[in-house]
Amino acid sequence: MKFRTMVHGADRLGGITAPNDSRVTRLGAYLRRTKLDELPQLLNLLTGELTLIGPRAEVPQFVARYTTQQYEVLSVKPGITGPGQIYYTTDQADSIPTEVAADDYYVEHLLGPKLRMDLDYLRRRTARSDLQIMIATVAVLGRALFGRRAGRSPLDSARGDSLPSA
């Protein structure tokens, strides 16, 4: 569950939100920028549909493009936060060039590295790596709520050997 941040029917025009996407409402832009659109997912956590930490679920149109190896991320419950989710935050989505189709760019340039991060996490996860992800998540939320500062990704300090760079 998430709060609606786009106009009705926006999903028919693509799954990835491009920079300055006209489908995002004014309130939706605020909810996305502050990450408040994610709050309803806490209900999914309480009902057992999501875990706190794990690979983020993708929409079916992107899952259909997974390689056999990438399907491994579907062997566990999706998480509210995870390495791919932290690294590929709104900042990464904003880097999508406006002159290309956002969905195509995402599949060609971002989906593979994101899935590699999530797969590496699944293969090497420990209590320490989960704690690092939680700290990085708090940092992302803090930046979103209290103002963005240019610089390193929150995972840069937490990445270590268990969280590869993209």
Side-chain angles (χ1 to χ4, degrees):
M1 273 192 247
K2 289 176 80 171
F3 288 125
R4 179 182 295 276
T5 59
M6 300 178 106
V7 297
H8 184 70
D11 57 326
R12 288 177 276 173
L13 300 173
I16 297 298
T17 307
N20 302 314
D21 197 314
S22 63
R23 300 174 298 165
V24 178
T25 66
R26 268 177 77 189
L27 176 60
Y30 173 78
L31 292 173
R32 285 172 173 239
R33 186 174 53 256
T34 59
K35 307 296 185 208
L36 292 173
D37 63 323
E38 307 280 347
L39 278 177
Q41 291 184 28
L42 295 175
L43 294 174
N44 296 108
L45 179 69
L46 293 174
T47 62
E49 297 171 81
L50 292 176
T51 61
L52 187 58
I53 301 170
R56 182 69 167 232
E58 286 284 357
V59 295
Q61 75 183 58
F62 298 128
V63 172
R65 296 176 156 205
Y66 281 11
T67 65
T68 304
Q69 182 184 21
Q70 291 168 338
Y71 273 105
E72 187 180 329
V73 299
L74 302 177
S75 68
V76 297
K77 282 186 186 179
I80 291 177
T81 189
Q85 180 67 17
I86 294 167
Y87 190 77
Y88 292 96
T89 62
T90 304
D91 296 334
Q92 293 293 319
D94 287 347
S95 70
I96 297 174
T98 55
E99 65 275 1
V100 300
D103 285 5
D104 292 340
Y105 185 88
Y106 178 74
V107 169
E108 292 173 23
H109 300 283
L110 303 176
L111 182 62
K114 180 181 171 199
L115 286 169
R116 278 193 295 281
M117 271 185 151
D118 286 337
L119 287 168
D120 188 59
Y121 162 75
L122 287 178
R123 293 179 185 133
R124 300 186 199 194
R125 66 183 161 188
T126 63
R128 180 179 177 177
S129 66
D130 282 358
L131 181 60
Q132 290 173 325
I133 290 169
M134 287 307 304
I135 290 168
T137 300
V138 169
V140 167
L141 291 174
R143 277 194 348 217
L145 291 170
F146 303 113
R148 297 177 187 268
R149 290 187 301 272
R152 299 168 12 159
S153 161
L155 274 183
D156 290 342
S157 61
R159 188 170 288 129
D161 290 336
S162 63
L163 301 174
S165 60

